């Protein structure tokens, strides 16, 4: 069996930008504090821009959206509909015509060949970090991971398992029914159910290490030992019941 483990650690990797938006050039702006003697050459103003306060350049939102996709590494070629941009539709059309970028095709190939997807990450703002969410947005596109008539138990990535292994900043008590953060299963609903189960992937019980930064070295070693032992018997585990009752009982 093949195993793909996707690790996303903050501060160690730059965050890929699925649709980078160019920063508008500023013309005629005086040097700020600490920049005396530094000259800022005015940059040419491109068409379809209008001057704002103090020489700032404003771009209409529609132009930003169009340029963002054209600069994106997600797909190549022309837009399917440049007048009414829809990211989901554009990636779907790109997938159908084989127009997704090479790196995305490679990631999709890894997913296709994998029996188990392990996502290792630190919980950030009660969700996965943006770098991991960006991977989901770009790789799990319509036509590859799901279709409007093929989702949840009928999703296109059936016969695969997934596991969310993550750390938290707060202690376990914080993520309980009576805790200020609420039951940790509420947090898992959009990630496990809304993404993995939606694509047809079965979900194993999550592996959670609570507040590793705030415990003793001995406790951290116990966490690592527990994770190592679980990995040895992972294939014997049964998936959770992917239903609202598991999350909100």
């Amino acid at each position: 069996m093949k195993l793909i483990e996707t690790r996303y650690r903050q501060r160690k990797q730059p965050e890929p930008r699925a649709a980078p938006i160019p920063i508008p050039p500023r013309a005629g702006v005086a040097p700020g504090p600490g920049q005396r003697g530094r000259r800022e050459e005015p940059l040419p103003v491109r068409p379809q821009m209008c001057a704002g306060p103090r020489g700032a350049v404003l771009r209409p939102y529609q132009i930003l959206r169009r340029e963002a996709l054209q600069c994106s590494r997600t797909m190549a070629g022309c837009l399917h509909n440049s007048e009414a941009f829809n990211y989901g539709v554009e990636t779907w059309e790109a997938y159908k015509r084989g127009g997704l970028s090479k790196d995305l095709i490679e990631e999709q190939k890894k997913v296709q060949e994998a029996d188990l997807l392990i996502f290792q990450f630190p919980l950030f703002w009660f969700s996965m970090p943006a770098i991991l969410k960006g991977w989901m947005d770009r790789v799990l596109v319509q036509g590859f991971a799901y279709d409007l008539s093929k989702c949840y138990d009928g999703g296109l990535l059936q016969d695969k398992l997934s596991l969310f292994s993550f750390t938290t900043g707060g202690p376990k008590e914080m993520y309980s029914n009576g805790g200020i953060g609420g039951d940790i299963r509420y947090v898992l609903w959009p990630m496990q159910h809304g993404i993995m189960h939606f694509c047809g992937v079965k979900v194993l019980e999550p592996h959670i290490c609570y507040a590793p930064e705030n415990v003793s070295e001995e406790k951290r070693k116990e966490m690592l030992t527990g994770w190592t032992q679980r990995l040895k018997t992972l294939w014997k585990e049964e998936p959770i019941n992917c239903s609202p009752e598991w999350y909100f009982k």
Side-chain angles (χ1 to χ4, degrees):
M1 295 186 177
K2 296 184 179 180
L3 169 67
I4 174 174
E5 182 172 356
T6 307
R7 293 178 179 272
Y8 289 90
R9 298 185 182 278
Q10 292 176 310
R11 303 177 183 173
K12 292 188 178 181
Q13 310 180 45
E15 181 177 333
R17 297 176 296 172
I21 299 177
I23 299 176
R26 298 190 303 167
V29 179
Q35 296 180 317
R36 182 168 297 182
R38 174 183 171 184
R39 293 187 60 188
E40 185 169 331
E41 296 295 334
L43 298 176
V45 178
R46 297 175 57 187
Q48 295 182 303
M49 299 181 186
C50 55
R54 298 185 181 179
V57 177
L58 306 179
R59 298 186 180 194
Y61 180 59
Q62 184 176 4
I63 298 174
L64 278 177
R65 293 189 304 172
R66 193 178 308 164
E67 291 187 350
L69 188 60
Q70 290 170 348
C71 294
S72 172
R73 296 179 181 177
T74 301
M75 63 200 80
C78 301
L79 295 177
H80 175 70
N81 186 345
S82 60
E83 297 303 319
F85 171 66
N86 182 308
Y87 183 79
V89 171
E90 294 297 338
T91 52
W92 181 34
E93 293 294 334
Y95 175 77
K96 289 191 294 183
R97 70 172 185 265
L100 291 177
S101 62
K102 186 179 296 186
D103 62 323
L104 294 192
I105 294 174
E106 287 298 318
E107 291 297 301
Q108 290 178 344
K109 183 179 179 181
K110 293 175 185 177
V111 172
Q112 285 178 325
E113 294 177 347
D115 296 305
L116 170 64
L117 302 171
I118 296 179
F119 298 98
Q120 178 74 53
F121 60 94
L123 195 68
F124 194 78
W125 284 119
F126 284 73
S127 184
M128 63 184 71
I131 189 172
L132 177 53
K133 182 56 166 59
W135 184 91
M136 301 279 188
D137 292 344
R138 300 177 70 214
V139 175
L140 305 179
V141 300
Q142 184 177 355
F144 169 74
Y146 70 94
D147 214 331
L148 297 182
S149 60
K150 297 178 181 179
C151 54
Y152 291 111
D153 291 338
L156 299 179
L157 298 180
Q158 298 177 50
D159 303 321
K160 296 185 185 297
L161 293 171
S162 65
L163 189 155
F164 284 79
S165 173
F166 59 93
T167 57
T168 68
K172 187 173 183 179
E173 297 74 26
M174 180 180 175
Y175 299 98
S176 62
N177 258 328
I180 191 171
D183 196 315
I184 192 67
R185 294 190 178 193
Y186 303 162
V187 177
L188 291 166
W189 168 260
M191 295 187 284
Q192 292 186 164
H193 184 78
I195 301 177
M196 290 294 104
H197 186 204
F198 187 85
C199 296
V201 182
K202 294 181 176 63
V203 180
L204 296 177
E205 189 84 26
H207 193 87
I208 310 171
C209 293
Y210 291 95
E213 188 178 6
N214 301 318
V215 298
S216 65
E217 184 67 22
E218 181 180 357
K219 185 65 176 177
R220 283 194 287 271
K221 289 180 179 179
E222 290 178 8
M223 291 178 178
L224 291 174
T225 301
W227 178 230
T228 301
Q229 292 302 317
R230 186 181 178 187
L231 288 174
K232 294 178 180 179
T233 59
L234 208 56
W235 298 109
K236 299 179 181 179
E237 296 184 15
E238 291 294 324
I240 66 171
N241 175 24
C242 287
S243 66
E245 288 74 22
W246 188 88
Y247 297 91
F248 305 107
K249 63 182 179 180

